Short mmCIF file of all heavy atoms in Angstrom, two decimals:
data_model
loop_
_atom_site.label_atom_id
_atom_site.label_comp_id
_atom_site.label_asym_id
_atom_site.label_seq_id
_atom_site.Cartn_x
_atom_site.Cartn_y
_atom_site.Cartn_z
N HIS A 105 22.50 14.89 7.96
CA HIS A 105 22.46 13.94 9.08
C HIS A 105 23.28 12.70 8.73
O HIS A 105 22.74 11.61 8.55
CB HIS A 105 21.00 13.52 9.37
CG HIS A 105 20.10 14.69 9.69
ND1 HIS A 105 20.05 15.28 10.92
CD2 HIS A 105 19.25 15.38 8.90
CE1 HIS A 105 19.18 16.29 10.89
NE2 HIS A 105 18.68 16.34 9.67
N ASP A 107 25.04 10.60 10.30
CA ASP A 107 25.03 9.39 11.17
C ASP A 107 23.68 8.70 11.18
O ASP A 107 23.54 7.63 11.80
CB ASP A 107 25.43 9.76 12.59
CG ASP A 107 26.85 10.34 12.61
OD1 ASP A 107 27.67 9.87 11.79
OD2 ASP A 107 27.12 11.20 13.45
N ALA A 108 22.74 9.28 10.55
CA ALA A 108 21.37 8.71 10.59
C ALA A 108 21.23 7.56 9.56
O ALA A 108 21.91 7.56 8.52
CB ALA A 108 20.32 9.76 10.27
N GLU A 109 20.40 6.58 9.92
CA GLU A 109 20.02 5.56 8.96
C GLU A 109 18.73 6.03 8.23
O GLU A 109 17.94 6.76 8.80
CB GLU A 109 19.81 4.21 9.60
CG GLU A 109 21.13 3.49 9.88
CD GLU A 109 20.91 2.11 10.45
OE1 GLU A 109 20.31 2.01 11.55
OE2 GLU A 109 21.35 1.12 9.83
N VAL A 110 18.55 5.55 6.99
CA VAL A 110 17.39 5.98 6.22
C VAL A 110 16.36 4.84 6.11
O VAL A 110 16.69 3.80 5.53
CB VAL A 110 17.83 6.44 4.82
CG1 VAL A 110 16.62 6.86 3.98
CG2 VAL A 110 18.83 7.58 4.91
N VAL A 111 15.17 5.10 6.65
CA VAL A 111 14.07 4.13 6.49
C VAL A 111 13.03 4.80 5.61
O VAL A 111 12.51 5.87 5.96
CB VAL A 111 13.45 3.73 7.83
CG1 VAL A 111 12.24 2.81 7.60
CG2 VAL A 111 14.46 3.00 8.70
N ASP A 125 18.52 2.67 3.63
CA ASP A 125 19.10 1.51 4.33
C ASP A 125 18.04 0.39 4.43
O ASP A 125 18.41 -0.76 4.40
CB ASP A 125 19.54 1.91 5.73
CG ASP A 125 20.69 2.90 5.67
OD1 ASP A 125 21.74 2.51 5.17
OD2 ASP A 125 20.53 4.08 6.08
N MET A 140 16.57 -0.97 13.44
CA MET A 140 17.74 -0.24 12.91
C MET A 140 18.81 -0.07 13.98
O MET A 140 18.51 -0.04 15.18
CB MET A 140 17.26 1.10 12.35
CG MET A 140 16.42 1.04 11.11
SD MET A 140 17.25 0.39 9.68
CE MET A 140 16.56 -1.18 9.58
N ASP A 141 20.07 0.10 13.55
CA ASP A 141 21.19 0.22 14.49
C ASP A 141 21.34 1.65 15.04
O ASP A 141 21.69 1.86 16.17
CB ASP A 141 22.50 -0.22 13.82
CG ASP A 141 22.38 -1.63 13.34
OD1 ASP A 141 21.82 -2.48 14.08
OD2 ASP A 141 22.85 -1.94 12.23
N ALA A 142 21.14 2.62 14.14
CA ALA A 142 21.44 4.01 14.52
C ALA A 142 20.36 4.60 15.43
O ALA A 142 19.19 4.22 15.37
CB ALA A 142 21.54 4.87 13.26
N PRO A 143 20.77 5.53 16.36
CA PRO A 143 19.78 6.15 17.22
C PRO A 143 18.96 7.24 16.50
O PRO A 143 17.92 7.69 17.04
CB PRO A 143 20.61 6.78 18.32
CG PRO A 143 22.00 6.92 17.75
CD PRO A 143 22.16 5.92 16.66
N THR A 144 19.37 7.65 15.30
CA THR A 144 18.62 8.67 14.55
C THR A 144 18.24 8.07 13.18
O THR A 144 19.03 7.45 12.50
CB THR A 144 19.52 9.91 14.33
OG1 THR A 144 19.95 10.34 15.60
CG2 THR A 144 18.71 11.04 13.68
N ILE A 145 16.97 8.29 12.84
CA ILE A 145 16.43 7.72 11.61
C ILE A 145 15.82 8.83 10.72
O ILE A 145 14.98 9.61 11.19
CB ILE A 145 15.26 6.67 11.92
CG1 ILE A 145 15.71 5.60 12.93
CG2 ILE A 145 14.76 6.06 10.63
CD1 ILE A 145 16.74 4.63 12.46
N LEU A 146 16.27 8.89 9.50
CA LEU A 146 15.60 9.75 8.55
C LEU A 146 14.44 8.91 7.95
O LEU A 146 14.68 7.78 7.53
CB LEU A 146 16.54 10.14 7.38
CG LEU A 146 17.56 11.21 7.68
CD1 LEU A 146 18.53 11.31 6.51
CD2 LEU A 146 16.91 12.53 7.92
N PHE A 147 13.23 9.45 8.03
CA PHE A 147 12.06 8.63 7.70
C PHE A 147 11.17 9.41 6.74
O PHE A 147 10.76 10.54 7.01
CB PHE A 147 11.31 8.32 8.98
CG PHE A 147 10.15 7.32 8.79
CD1 PHE A 147 10.33 6.00 9.17
CD2 PHE A 147 8.95 7.75 8.26
CE1 PHE A 147 9.28 5.09 8.99
CE2 PHE A 147 7.91 6.87 8.14
CZ PHE A 147 8.06 5.50 8.48
N LYS A 163 14.11 6.17 19.63
CA LYS A 163 15.01 6.70 18.62
C LYS A 163 14.50 8.05 18.09
O LYS A 163 13.27 8.28 18.16
CB LYS A 163 15.10 5.71 17.43
CG LYS A 163 15.85 4.50 17.78
CD LYS A 163 16.08 3.61 16.59
CE LYS A 163 16.82 2.43 17.13
NZ LYS A 163 16.69 1.25 16.37
N LYS A 164 15.37 8.86 17.58
CA LYS A 164 14.94 10.12 17.05
C LYS A 164 14.55 9.92 15.58
O LYS A 164 15.38 9.52 14.78
CB LYS A 164 16.09 11.14 17.16
CG LYS A 164 15.69 12.52 16.75
CD LYS A 164 16.79 13.53 17.07
CE LYS A 164 16.28 14.87 16.64
NZ LYS A 164 17.27 15.82 16.36
N ILE A 165 13.32 10.22 15.30
CA ILE A 165 12.85 10.07 13.92
C ILE A 165 12.69 11.47 13.25
O ILE A 165 12.00 12.31 13.77
CB ILE A 165 11.49 9.30 13.82
CG1 ILE A 165 11.71 7.89 14.38
CG2 ILE A 165 10.96 9.30 12.41
CD1 ILE A 165 10.50 7.00 14.28
N ILE A 166 13.40 11.66 12.19
CA ILE A 166 13.35 12.95 11.46
C ILE A 166 12.59 12.74 10.19
O ILE A 166 13.02 12.03 9.26
CB ILE A 166 14.79 13.46 11.18
CG1 ILE A 166 15.56 13.61 12.46
CG2 ILE A 166 14.73 14.80 10.42
CD1 ILE A 166 17.04 13.93 12.28
#
Side-chain angles (χ1 to χ4, degrees):
H105 302 279
D107 298 328
E109 280 184 299
V110 178
V111 175
D125 294 296
M140 292 293 105
D141 301 319
T144 306
I145 308 290
L146 283 171
F147 188 102
K163 288 187 181 155
K164 185 171 181 206
I165 296 183
I166 303 173

